[in-house]
Amino acid sequence: MKKILIYLVAFVLALSPLYSASASASQTTKLTKPVSSGTTLYQYTHQGAYTNQISHLSINLNDPYTKVEVGLPSVYGGLATTTALANSHSSDGHRVVGAVNAAFYDMSTGYPLYLISQNNEIYNGGILAKNASGYVSYPIAFGVTANGLAEIDTYDFAVTTVSKLGRIPLTGLNRQRQQDESILFTPQHHTTATNSNQYGVEYVVQTDEQITSTYFGQQLSGKVVQIRPYGSTQKLDIPKNGFVISANGAQAAKFESLQVGDAMAVEISINEKWQDAEFMLASGPMLVRDGQRHITMDTSSSRAKEVAPRSAIAISKDKKTVHFVTVDGRLSDSKGMNLVQFADYLVSQGYDRAINLDGGGSTTMAYRNHGSNNVVVANRPSNSGGAERRVSAILEAISTAPLSDAKTLKYSRTNVGTLLVDSTSTVTIEYVLDQYYNPLPVSSSNISFKSENGYVAFTNTTIQAVSAGTDRVQILYNGKAVESFPITVTDTPGAMAISGSKDVVKDAATTYTLAAKDQAGNNLVYSPSQVKWSVDGDIGYINQDGKFVATKTGTGKIVAQLGNTSTSMTVTVMDKAIFTDVPASHPYYKEVSYLVEKKYITGYGDGTFRPEQTLTRAHGAVIISRVLKLDTSKIKDPGFKDVKASHTYYKEIAAIQNAGIMDGLNGNFNPEGQLTRAQMAKIIANAFKLEGISSIQFKDVPKSDWAYEYVQALAANDITTGYGGGIFKPNEKISRVHFGLFLYRVLNQ
């Protein structure tokens, strides 16, 4: 039978693949989610020629409550997103639980391009591509046939006129006429007029009754009542009780002898396989046939070679399982596939037949998420921001299952762990599903809780630990237990530890927290208000939020009591740091503070002491002069060439020299020179008239060393013990803090 589609071309089967199926391809399942009793969503990461993210809805037509339908907009040529279309078609007893974008369409008009029908009613007559480089150059459709089975196969659609001229096939139905075409227009055309140009002839045929639908198996009979001749620009309306034959070129010549008053009949037919089908949707190319790659377009064309997002429908060999499949593309973690790669992927999944759908930016998979009757996007469309593209038709997985008793329930809890007596945990019900995954309403009137052993009680959705023991909480929906979980209550915490600073500065505040485990080392749930805080020792006070304020220096304990168990932490309260770089925790904080208090040492203008900085001879002279309280008002010029009377520390250096504590070399004092430990020993021994020989003999300061008697004097008076291994390090530069340490020891013998 001659096809009515305008560009019928020879069937092209691609034999030379762009890429062959990769033996090293692998696939990881990321998600398995039943969305109804017969439909399950799967999501995969597939590693083949590229990494791709794949979404897959498996639809079992054996399930008595599961079917597949075509989803169309309410207005012909209307466009809507996949989710919007699906949700608009969903209702009680007819829930859309999954959807995929489907039909190719003219993006300038919104009109679908290829054949679509429902229960024989023809929604769109369709065309074919001019050549094999187009996606749909061969009449192939997906649908559900009259026996309720899924099908992907060719179709034979024809419109034939019967008149005194004999049987003349037409080339199209309810679409714009092209050159050398003959088109049938019925009242179901999307406009009321043919809107054909003047380069053809149009025959108006009136029937006895109004034509209320256009469908497969239809026969229309009437008489020619008007002929619009070639060249006429008259707008020709399609009568409600009739039809119009519009012909051009060679096709028009076939009707030249037809006259007003002649009888004319039209037969609209589809081959037997598709007659009375629940629906059919033409698309292409076919990708898989009999479990093998079978591509009905030129695989060397740019469209076939493009690596892009893809959509397809596949079916099982027994035609009882339908698969919606999408591959994301043009994304950083999902490049997409060309048609050969896509076909090979579908073959690898074991599908018997598969047909390509509109892809690219239209590629969208949707599913009913648990707890809602609305479908949401499952994949990531490639449009900017992941936005869905509006499309002209979709395919839908439908659940007709009725609402039934609750079967599954998802909940979450605050404070998961062993509960301390008087602590609480709150349960949130996220959703309740029946056996068909239909969401059930959740409210305080249908959710309740029950304790099996009575160790916990309930206030609405809050669990209150009452007494120690092991219990199980049941979650009931309309009085029937749907879910449960174990719960343990204790009155005796196990391990407890206080967290917070062990060193606190006087007049400062710090907060302590308590971490507790049960006897088995598991997380213990309790309220902060259950912790009783106290202070052992007269060092400050603490409130019940664990905030401690230090009021006196000294050592005490922070005590935390939880239930019948307590723990403590030793805390030392110190004076405020005098310098920013000598905090109260500094090992020589006490010594530095003492020398500052006595005004023997000072810091720098930026608030630092710079304890590790080496000490200069000038600064050593200043400090010793302060400690010894030398009179700097009556001094004799020491005659140092590098310490003039204008020098900042001239008086202190002169006083030290006059007292015989420090001297220069070759007429210079070298005020910026850095003191060594040996020089420090001499200065302190001279300044404080220290003498003696210690039992400690330093290996690096033998008796022959000039500093021997000074180092020994310090050791004999317990001012130094040197370093481990019996060494003193006499030539090492002395830091400001170590010089202060030696002074402190001398002054506090």
Side-chain angles (χ1 to χ4, degrees), residues 20-21 33 109 114 151 245 275 306 314 324 479 526 528 559 594 623 658 687 708:
S20 61
K33 192 181 192 78
T109 64
Y114 309 118
E151 185 61 271
I245 304 295
Q275 183 66 42
E306 182 185 8
F324 296 173
Y526 59 92
V559 181
Y594 171 84
I623 294 171
N658 294 169
Y708 176 78

Side-chain angles (χ1 to χ4, degrees), residues 304-495:
K305 291 169 64 177
E306 182 185 8
V307 176
R310 300 288 179 182
S311 301
I313 293 293
I315 61 175
S316 60
K317 189 171 184 178
D318 65 4
K319 305 181 189 297
K320 295 179 180 180
T321 307
V322 177
H323 304 275
F324 296 173
V325 182
T326 61
V327 179
D328 291 345
R330 301 168 184 160
L331 301 171
S332 61
D333 65 341
S334 191
K335 190 170 183 178
M337 294 183 180
N338 62 43
L339 279 185
V340 171
Q341 292 167 341
F342 196 27
D344 286 344
Y345 171 76
L346 297 170
V347 168
S348 75
Q349 300 305 295
Y351 306 140
D352 184 65
R353 295 191 178 191
I355 189 170
N356 184 62
L357 300 173
D358 186 16
S362 298
T363 294
T364 306
M365 177 83 75
Y367 73 105
R368 178 175 71 169
N369 203 2
H370 291 171
S372 172
N373 273 318
N374 286 334
V375 299
V376 295
V377 177
N379 70 319
R380 286 186 296 160
S382 62
N383 296 316
S384 177
E388 292 182 73
R389 176 183 287 172
R390 296 188 305 153
V391 296
S392 65
I394 63 175
L395 290 166
E396 301 171 339
I398 305 296
S399 173
T400 61
L403 292 180
S404 61
D405 291 340
K407 183 178 181 181
T408 59
L409 178 153
K410 185 178 181 182
Y411 68 93
S412 60
R413 285 174 54 197
T414 62
N415 304 333
V416 177
T418 300
L419 298 182
L420 185 68
V421 170
D422 293 331
S423 66
T424 61
S425 177
T426 299
V427 179
T428 299
I429 306 301
E430 298 185 22
Y431 58 76
V432 180
L433 304 177
D434 69 8
Q435 62 180 316
Y436 306 114
Y437 298 91
N438 293 313
L440 299 177
V442 176
S443 69
S444 58
S445 63
N446 51 37
I447 296 293
S448 58
F449 300 88
K450 181 180 179 181
S451 166
E452 290 186 358
N453 298 324
Y455 295 114
V456 295
F458 308 95
T459 302
N460 297 323
T461 61
T462 299
I463 303 171
Q464 177 80 40
V466 175
S467 56
T470 300
D471 209 336
R472 176 167 285 274
V473 172
Q474 294 182 347
I475 306 177
L476 290 72
Y477 188 85
N478 290 335
K480 177 184 175 183
V482 179
E483 186 60 84
S484 68
F485 56 88
I487 197 162
T488 301
V489 180
T490 185
D491 56 8
T492 306

Side-chain angles (χ1 to χ4, degrees), residues 187 206-212 220-221 239-242:
Q206 184 174 310
T207 58
D208 292 337
E209 297 179 353
Q210 286 193 358
I211 301 172
T212 57
L220 301 172
S221 299
K240 293 186 181 299
N241 61 334

Side-chain angles (χ1 to χ4, degrees), residues 61-62 66-67 119 143-152 272-279 315 317-320:
L61 299 184
N62 271 327
T66 299
K67 57 194 300 187
N119 299 313
V144 175
T145 54
N147 57 9
L149 299 178
E151 185 61 271
I152 295 175
E272 184 178 356
K273 172 175 284 189
W274 292 106
Q275 183 66 42
D276 300 323
E278 294 178 14
F279 73 89
I315 61 175
K317 189 171 184 178
D318 65 4
K319 305 181 189 297
K320 295 179 180 180

